Amino acid sequence: MSKYIFVVGGVMSGVGKGIAAASIGKILQSKGFKVTAVKIDPYLNVDAGTMNPVEHGEVFVTADGDETDQDIGNYERFLDTEILRDNYMTSGRVYQSVINRERNLEYGGKCVEAVPHIPYEVIDRIKRAEEKADAEITIIEIGGTVGEFQNALYLEAARMMNLKNPDDVIVVMVSYLPIPSKIGEMKTKPTQMAVRALNEVGVMADFLLCRSTHPIDAPRREKLALFCNVKPENVISAPDVDSVYDIPINFEKENFGDKILAELKLESRQKDLVEWRAFVDKVNSAVEPVKIGIVGKYFESGDFILPDAYISVIESLKYAAWHNGRKPTIEWINSDLYEKEPEKVAELKNYNCLVVPGGFGSRGIEGKISAIKFARENKIPYLGLCYGMQLATIEFARHVCGLNDAHTTEINPHTMNPVIHIIPEQAEKMANKQYGNTMRLGAYPCLLKEGSLVRGLYQQAEIFERHRHRYEFNLAYRNKMEEAGLVFSGMSPDGELTEIIELPQDQHPFFVGVQFHPEFLSRPLRPHPLFFGLVKASISRA
Ligand code: GLN
């Protein structure tokens, strides 16, 4: 059985297509179907790895080392299944394959054209993802907004698939219904126009998901159904919520899952969302706060603060708090501040715990190092992720080992004490300007030291975690740092790469730095041991 659900967006970007797609997947999975999800990004970048996180949001890394859009993270978190490289496509990737095939004479002398050859390639890719995941239902989210030139060829793929198997392919349009404050009424016209743009390319919406600040009422539901050619019961209300984890449950209040199954000529196999509901109850019953600070730099976009660049870190911290029975209060701290006003670092004592997430380049790093020093000296539970681990070793080298100019060669190539240096094969790639998808990426094994804090948290001797970096700890400094008290508690199996450092538990309640990104493996129902341990340590300390 192969069924396909296309999720497209109307009116504006950011309407929550990714969460809608993930929630639909969750519902159908919980009704007993094997589900996978595919993300299509219409831009020409081959992957998300070369994009600025402020502009594009987080770069999510898959187990097989793909640098993808953050929606792949939403799918992995909601579905709790591994989503791999085949489930992510961009126009760059699609065009590249078609052009390569043309160069290899694989089109047998035909004129290769945008239509049908690009949609054919898209369809092949959707089917490959479905086969690899052995999925019964594949959800395909088309990025961007209907009406943009960029996503027309993907809608064309949906049209072709629907024409061939009308009972197996449906389209969900996620649209936005504004309520202008001076008018005070929910307006349907932008959505009507968006549906018309969809119809113009030969695609009909089977469902309209009505995003708004408020639920949609009966008159507007009827109006949209009539003008947009959608059954009234298939116009689904999707008002704003406090927690995205409520969304599958809200959708089910309108029997969205069974309505989708009916359109696909399927029937539910089991009672749905049992564990999910229990999790949401846990979320709603957590009242006592835990205050967590994230010291980073990718927050500001003009006059707006956008935490999207750290979404997996933020969600991981939430799961850890909820499963510890606490309500997470997460604050963004721009590390530039501690460079301009060093005395302000003392305000960090107001946080129960601190995280320095991944990053690149020099801006704000001295501020991050000051924050790490403060956390170390004042015994504030600290978790450093990737750059946050590298900077923790630099801080330790400078202030405990007395190597005043200790640095990473990413920032100071001429330092006398390159505590963090480039992985040799990475140096070669950088010299050749091979930047795209060339970092140390994806899941690698790591062996945990007996008796260490992290070994106790993972309850395992070997772990697999996902990476995305070019630099690493310089082993020439290991002895000196160990003598000064730093514990090397996680190493690659060959002992060449330092994956985890920590402080002894009798000296600090929780001070851990990891070269990998545990945030990519946190799941709502299975909080990651490191984040869980961080929050737990901050509660016992308080
Ligand atoms: N800039 C550092 C490196 O390339 C850290 C990367 C990261 O935090 N993801 O190694």
Side-chain angles (χ1 to χ4, degrees):
M1 180 184 83
S2 303
K3 303 281 185 178
Y4 306 91
I5 303 171
F6 282 88
V7 176
V8 302
V11 177
M12 62 181 199
S13 65
V15 284
K17 292 189 299 294
I19 295 290
S23 299
I24 291 170
K26 182 80 234 168
I27 294 169
L28 299 177
Q29 183 189 54
S30 77
K31 286 179 185 289
F33 294 90
K34 188 123 199 266
V35 176
T36 195
V38 170
K39 175 74 197 273
I40 299 177
D41 273 328
Y43 41 67
L44 285 175
N45 301 62
V46 170
D47 58 42
T50 52
M51 279 183 270
N52 181 338
V54 176
E55 215 176 287
H56 176 262
E58 172 185 271
V59 178
F60 188 84
V61 180
T62 60
D64 58 352
D66 203 7
E67 296 175 283
T68 72
D69 181 74
Q70 63 186 44
D71 277 327
I72 297 286
N74 288 324
Y75 306 159
E76 281 212 12
R77 285 188 283 273
F78 275 68
L79 299 176
D80 197 2
T81 37
E82 217 165 64
I83 304 280
L84 298 173
R85 186 178 289 271
D86 283 310
N87 289 50
Y88 179 58
M89 71 180 105
T90 64
S91 294
R93 220 168 251 199
V94 171
Y95 276 86
Q96 205 168 48
S97 317
V98 171
I99 291 168
N100 287 344
R101 201 168 303 137
E102 183 276 329
R103 291 290 82 187
N104 299 341
L105 259 183
E106 288 176 48
Y107 289 102
K110 275 212 171 68
C111 175
V112 182
E113 307 198 71
V115 181
H117 296 104
I118 297 294
Y120 283 170
E121 170 66 21
V122 172
I123 295 169
D124 281 351
R125 284 173 172 261
I126 292 170
K127 299 213 160 148
R128 201 187 315 150
E130 170 212 324
E131 275 159 30
K132 288 227 174 134
D134 193 21
E136 296 172 290
I137 303 176
T138 304
I139 298 171
I140 306 112
E141 178 192 346
I142 302 182
T145 310
V146 169
E148 280 181 70
F149 283 126
Q150 286 208 109
N151 58 20
L153 293 173
Y154 300 102
L155 297 172
E156 182 67 358
R159 186 191 66 77
M160 289 176 174
M161 286 179 75
N162 180 269
L163 179 71
K164 213 164 173 193
N165 300 96
D167 287 346
D168 298 336
V169 180
I170 62 166
V171 176
V172 177
M173 165 86 133
V174 186
S175 194
Y176 193 76
L177 292 108
I179 307 178
S181 61
K182 292 282 185 272
I183 300 175
E185 182 200 351
M186 183 183 280
K187 303 304 279 181
T188 61
K189 194 64 63 69
T191 295
Q192 293 178 42
M193 302 309 242
V195 172
R196 186 159 306 161
L198 184 67
N199 296 163
E200 269 167 19
V201 296
V203 178
M204 299 289 151
D206 297 282
F207 288 91
L208 269 185
L209 211 56
C210 301
R211 290 278 303 110
S212 187
T213 50
H214 290 71
I216 188 164
D217 60 359
R220 278 156 200 83
R221 200 185 283 255
E222 275 153 35
K223 191 173 182 180
L224 274 180
L226 184 64
F227 292 154
C228 300
N229 203 31
V230 175
K231 296 173 193 162
E233 66 273 22
N234 285 4
V235 177
I236 308 287
S237 186
D240 287 350
V241 287
D242 288 337
S243 155
V244 295
Y245 303 102
D246 288 338
I247 292 174
I249 294 172
N250 287 353
F251 282 173
E252 275 306 77
K253 287 182 187 150
E254 301 205 30
N255 294 321
F256 192 19
D258 286 341
K259 289 177 188 170
I260 290 177
L261 291 178
E263 296 292 338
L264 292 171
K265 313 277 181 286
L266 297 171
E267 263 174 46
S268 176
R269 296 174 181 161
Q270 67 192 39
K271 188 164 160 41
D272 63 349
L273 297 177
V274 179
E275 288 174 316
W276 195 265
R277 285 177 209 275
F279 160 67
V280 168
D281 286 345
K282 197 176 259 184
V283 171
N284 294 333
S285 60
V287 279
E288 206 179 326
V290 56
K291 193 171 166 191
I292 305 167
I294 301 181
V295 187
K297 70 168 179 179
Y298 304 119
F299 295 125
E300 285 165 11
S301 166
D303 290 344
F304 301 92
I305 298 288
L306 306 175
D308 260 14
Y310 302 112
I311 180 163
S312 293
V313 176
I314 292 166
E315 297 312 300
S316 301
L317 289 166
K318 289 182 187 168
Y319 307 153
W322 289 326
H323 285 275
N324 271 296
R326 297 294 169 117
K327 189 182 169 75
T329 312
I330 299 172
E331 288 182 15
W332 336 121
I333 305 159
N334 197 331
S335 59
D336 291 351
L337 177 71
Y338 305 139
E339 295 178 2
K340 288 185 216 120
E341 300 172 67
E343 69 292 346
K344 283 254 164 83
V345 77
E347 74 182 19
L348 292 176
K349 67 176 184 311
N350 300 324
Y351 292 87
N352 296 114
C353 59
L354 294 171
V355 172
V356 171
F360 295 83
S362 61
R363 183 166 66 83
I365 69 161
E366 290 304 325
K368 290 183 191 174
I369 291 173
S370 309
I372 296 168
K373 179 167 186 275
F374 190 85
R376 181 177 57 77
E377 290 177 343
N378 294 281
K379 302 198 193 314
I380 300 170
Y382 171 76
L383 180 59
L385 309 170
C386 203
Y387 218 10
M389 172 268 200
Q390 297 177 355
L391 298 176
T393 61
I394 292 168
E395 190 281 314
F396 192 87
R398 285 188 191 173
H399 304 122
V400 181
C401 303
L403 307 171
N404 295 332
D405 74 332
H407 223 314
T408 164
T409 55
E410 179 175 352
I411 307 305
N412 179 1
H414 308 296
T415 173
M416 296 295 285
N417 287 295
V419 169
I420 302 293
H421 64 177
I422 195 155
I423 303 173
E425 74 226 39
Q426 286 295 332
E428 204 182 306
K429 288 175 184 156
M430 298 283 274
N432 296 328
K433 290 209 157 107
Q434 292 169 312
Y435 295 112
N437 204 239
T438 57
M439 284 188 233
R440 181 171 178 243
L441 288 164
Y444 286 94
C446 162
L447 302 181
L448 303 182
K449 187 186 169 96
E450 194 110 31
S452 63
L453 172 61
V454 289
R455 176 80 180 255
L457 291 171
Y458 279 97
Q459 299 279 319
Q460 255 166 283
E462 186 182 32
I463 56 164
F464 283 82
E465 291 277 4
R466 298 186 195 171
H467 294 251
R468 182 173 187 252
H469 61 115
R470 293 190 199 279
Y471 295 82
E472 59 160 332
F473 179 75
N474 181 350
L475 282 182
Y477 289 88
R478 178 169 174 167
N479 285 345
K480 199 175 176 85
M481 309 251 297
E482 259 175 346
E483 278 159 24
L486 197 69
V487 180
F488 289 74
S489 51
M491 300 295 292
S492 59
D494 63 5
E496 294 292 326
L497 297 173
T498 303
E499 307 286 30
I500 312 180
I501 54 105
E502 62 184 59
L503 285 178
Q505 284 143 270
D506 57 359
Q507 283 171 35
H508 196 290
F510 190 106
F511 189 94
V512 176
V514 294
Q515 183 56 78
F516 46 81
H517 291 273
E519 65 270 27
F520 297 144
L521 288 184
S522 292
R523 304 288 176 257
L525 306 181
R526 296 185 296 122
H528 190 285
L530 292 178
F531 289 96
F532 185 83
L534 173 76
V535 172
K536 193 164 191 242
S538 54
I539 294 170
S540 359
R541 177 175 162 272

mmCIF file of all heavy atoms in Angstrom, residues 481-495:
data_model
loop_
_atom_site.group_PDB
_atom_site.id
_atom_site.type_symbol
_atom_site.label_atom_id
_atom_site.label_comp_id
_atom_site.label_asym_id
_atom_site.label_seq_id
_atom_site.Cartn_x
_atom_site.Cartn_y
_atom_site.Cartn_z
ATOM 1 N N MET A 481 45.680 19.097 30.818
ATOM 2 C CA MET A 481 44.326 19.429 31.273
ATOM 3 C C MET A 481 43.817 18.371 32.260
ATOM 4 O O MET A 481 43.119 18.695 33.218
ATOM 5 C CB MET A 481 43.370 19.547 30.077
ATOM 6 C CG MET A 481 43.896 20.466 28.998
ATOM 7 S SD MET A 481 43.115 22.042 28.752
ATOM 8 C CE MET A 481 41.512 21.727 28.265
ATOM 9 N N GLU A 482 44.188 17.130 32.020
ATOM 10 C CA GLU A 482 43.784 16.065 32.950
ATOM 11 C C GLU A 482 44.418 16.283 34.315
ATOM 12 O O GLU A 482 43.760 16.149 35.352
ATOM 13 C CB GLU A 482 44.194 14.687 32.404
ATOM 14 C CG GLU A 482 43.031 13.949 31.784
ATOM 15 C CD GLU A 482 43.413 12.625 31.122
ATOM 16 O OE1 GLU A 482 44.620 12.373 30.898
ATOM 17 O OE2 GLU A 482 42.483 11.867 30.800
ATOM 18 N N GLU A 483 45.711 16.664 34.303
ATOM 19 C CA GLU A 483 46.403 16.938 35.575
ATOM 20 C C GLU A 483 45.719 18.058 36.333
ATOM 21 O O GLU A 483 45.649 18.051 37.562
ATOM 22 C CB GLU A 483 47.874 17.298 35.316
ATOM 23 C CG GLU A 483 48.738 16.064 35.140
ATOM 24 C CD GLU A 483 50.041 16.375 34.391
ATOM 25 O OE1 GLU A 483 50.489 17.553 34.406
ATOM 26 O OE2 GLU A 483 50.581 15.439 33.772
ATOM 27 N N ALA A 484 45.169 19.002 35.568
ATOM 28 C CA ALA A 484 44.484 20.136 36.210
ATOM 29 C C ALA A 484 43.048 19.784 36.604
ATOM 30 O O ALA A 484 42.335 20.617 37.166
ATOM 31 C CB ALA A 484 44.502 21.335 35.268
ATOM 32 N N GLY A 485 42.609 18.559 36.290
ATOM 33 C CA GLY A 485 41.307 18.114 36.803
ATOM 34 C C GLY A 485 40.207 17.906 35.788
ATOM 35 O O GLY A 485 39.105 17.494 36.146
ATOM 36 N N LEU A 486 40.475 18.171 34.514
ATOM 37 C CA LEU A 486 39.415 17.949 33.527
ATOM 38 C C LEU A 486 39.322 16.446 33.225
ATOM 39 O O LEU A 486 40.337 15.763 33.140
ATOM 40 C CB LEU A 486 39.724 18.724 32.238
ATOM 41 C CG LEU A 486 38.551 18.929 31.287
ATOM 42 C CD1 LEU A 486 37.524 19.893 31.887
ATOM 43 C CD2 LEU A 486 39.015 19.490 29.939
ATOM 44 N N VAL A 487 38.092 15.950 33.084
ATOM 45 C CA VAL A 487 37.901 14.526 32.810
ATOM 46 C C VAL A 487 37.522 14.350 31.338
ATOM 47 O O VAL A 487 36.611 15.020 30.841
ATOM 48 C CB VAL A 487 36.781 13.937 33.711
ATOM 49 C CG1 VAL A 487 36.574 12.450 33.425
ATOM 50 C CG2 VAL A 487 37.119 14.163 35.182
ATOM 51 N N PHE A 488 38.243 13.459 30.652
ATOM 52 C CA PHE A 488 37.909 13.144 29.261
ATOM 53 C C PHE A 488 37.021 11.913 29.299
ATOM 54 O O PHE A 488 37.504 10.788 29.324
ATOM 55 C CB PHE A 488 39.196 12.930 28.448
ATOM 56 C CG PHE A 488 39.937 14.219 28.235
ATOM 57 C CD1 PHE A 488 40.642 14.810 29.276
ATOM 58 C CD2 PHE A 488 39.870 14.875 27.015
ATOM 59 C CE1 PHE A 488 41.279 16.031 29.094
ATOM 60 C CE2 PHE A 488 40.504 16.093 26.821
ATOM 61 C CZ PHE A 488 41.212 16.674 27.863
ATOM 62 N N SER A 489 35.725 12.132 29.324
ATOM 63 C CA SER A 489 34.821 11.030 29.649
ATOM 64 C C SER A 489 34.197 10.366 28.431
ATOM 65 O O SER A 489 33.515 9.357 28.558
ATOM 66 C CB SER A 489 33.727 11.513 30.597
ATOM 67 O OG SER A 489 33.113 12.661 30.097
ATOM 68 N N GLY A 490 34.441 10.899 27.245
ATOM 69 C CA GLY A 490 33.927 10.252 26.033
ATOM 70 C C GLY A 490 34.930 10.432 24.913
ATOM 71 O O GLY A 490 35.364 11.549 24.627
ATOM 72 N N MET A 491 35.347 9.309 24.300
ATOM 73 C CA MET A 491 36.328 9.371 23.209
ATOM 74 C C MET A 491 35.827 8.537 22.033
ATOM 75 O O MET A 491 35.065 7.579 22.220
ATOM 76 C CB MET A 491 37.679 8.799 23.656
ATOM 77 C CG MET A 491 38.342 9.495 24.839
ATOM 78 S SD MET A 491 38.855 11.221 24.536
ATOM 79 C CE MET A 491 40.180 11.037 23.342
ATOM 80 N N SER A 492 36.293 8.873 20.831
ATOM 81 C CA SER A 492 35.986 8.007 19.687
ATOM 82 C C SER A 492 36.657 6.653 19.960
ATOM 83 O O SER A 492 37.646 6.599 20.691
ATOM 84 C CB SER A 492 36.526 8.631 18.402
ATOM 85 O OG SER A 492 37.918 8.818 18.508
ATOM 86 N N PRO A 493 36.140 5.552 19.374
ATOM 87 C CA PRO A 493 36.687 4.224 19.680
ATOM 88 C C PRO A 493 38.196 4.122 19.447
ATOM 89 O O PRO A 493 38.883 3.413 20.164
ATOM 90 C CB PRO A 493 35.901 3.296 18.752
ATOM 91 C CG PRO A 493 34.607 4.001 18.544
ATOM 92 C CD PRO A 493 34.935 5.471 18.533
ATOM 93 N N ASP A 494 38.750 4.862 18.469
ATOM 94 C CA ASP A 494 40.206 4.802 18.243
ATOM 95 C C ASP A 494 40.971 5.726 19.196
ATOM 96 O O ASP A 494 42.196 5.811 19.139
ATOM 97 C CB ASP A 494 40.538 5.132 16.778
ATOM 98 C CG ASP A 494 40.136 6.553 16.386
ATOM 99 O OD1 ASP A 494 39.685 7.334 17.262
ATOM 100 O OD2 ASP A 494 40.264 6.898 15.193
ATOM 101 N N GLY A 495 40.250 6.421 20.047
ATOM 102 C CA GLY A 495 40.898 7.296 21.034
ATOM 103 C C GLY A 495 41.451 8.592 20.454
ATOM 104 O O GLY A 495 42.093 9.378 21.143
#
